[in-house]
Amino acid sequence: MAKQLDYHSLREVFTRFQDAEPEPRGELEHVNAFTLVVAVALSAQATDAGVNKATRSLFKIADTPEKMLALGEEGLVEHIRTIGLYRNKAKNVMKLSRILVEDYDGEVPNSRAALQSLPGVGRKTANVVLNMWWHYPAQAVDTHIFRVGNRTGICPGKDVIATERAIEDNVPVDFQQHAHHWLILHGRYTCVARKPKCPACLIRDLCQFEEKTL
């Protein structure tokens, strides 16, 4: 685990990320809060591209919990069959749709605890929804962020919760809204798992990783 970068280094890291990508966006396609919850729940152990391919036709006919219930579990399965663990995910989507209708008048709640009470929705999913839909600076830590945070010293932590806290505690507040998107994109396209693309890295001179690739 790398040593936590100091304040001035973190400001420089995120200034460079911001200059390169001023308005980073999540790559999951959605049309409202409900479809965002569904898309993120479906994305577990699947690629965003694979989820988008499956949900483009799905969200045209089932963009509310009521419409999802009307479609039914087998109807949903037909749309998401190409996504890993589709059977279990379909069950969860139907369950969360019913809870939204019965307990929240068909609306997606905007508290982390309420979101996490929905089947198939964990802390990461809840944070994605809070950040992307309600623009709350929640940090959705995935494997990319966990790797980048510990490798670079941006937000080191022994687990994802510790990494999430490291972002909240150390990254300057004016970068908090987009912090997790910048880190995900950096981990997905530059600071990749096996052979990080260090020569092309924006923050190579600030990074604490001792095994930089040439």
Side-chain angles (χ1 to χ4, degrees), residues 58-174:
L58 171 64
F59 292 158
K60 289 179 181 178
I61 60 174
D63 60 355
T64 68
E66 294 85 355
K67 291 178 183 177
M68 190 66 74
L69 291 172
L71 177 63
E73 186 175 323
E74 289 307 313
L76 173 58
V77 163
E78 289 305 308
H79 285 274
I80 66 171
R81 192 180 293 276
T82 56
I83 299 174
L85 307 175
Y86 68 90
R87 279 284 176 192
N88 190 54
K89 291 177 180 178
K91 292 181 186 300
N92 283 336
V93 169
M94 301 312 292
K95 288 177 183 176
L96 72 83
S97 296
R98 188 165 302 283
I99 291 171
L100 290 176
V101 170
E102 294 178 352
D103 296 348
Y104 298 99
D105 298 321
E107 299 295 324
V108 175
N110 63 351
S111 84
R112 184 184 286 118
L115 285 166
Q116 284 188 248
S117 73
L118 299 174
V121 177
R123 186 179 182 88
K124 185 187 79 170
T125 297
N127 282 347
V128 169
V129 176
L130 291 173
N131 184 289
M132 289 180 62
W133 191 257
W134 281 287
H135 309 296
Y136 177 77
Q139 307 302 329
V141 177
D142 66 356
T143 55
H144 293 301
I145 295 180
F146 186 68
R147 178 180 67 254
V148 171
N150 281 288
R151 184 183 272 172
T152 63
I154 293 173
C155 47
K158 67 181 187 302
D159 54 37
V160 294
I161 298 298
T163 296
E164 179 183 325
R165 181 59 57 84
I167 299 173
E168 294 173 345
D169 288 351
N170 296 293
V171 174
V173 69
D174 44 320

Side-chain angles (χ1 to χ4, degrees), residues 8-22:
H8 296 291
S9 296
L10 284 172
R11 280 214 69 89
E12 181 61 24
V13 164
F14 284 96
T15 296
R16 294 181 193 181
F17 284 158
Q18 185 177 59
D19 288 345
E21 186 71 53

Side-chain angles (χ1 to χ4, degrees), residues 33 42 50 92 114 182 192 204:
L42 293 176
N92 283 336
W182 283 316
V192 295
R204 178 186 173 94

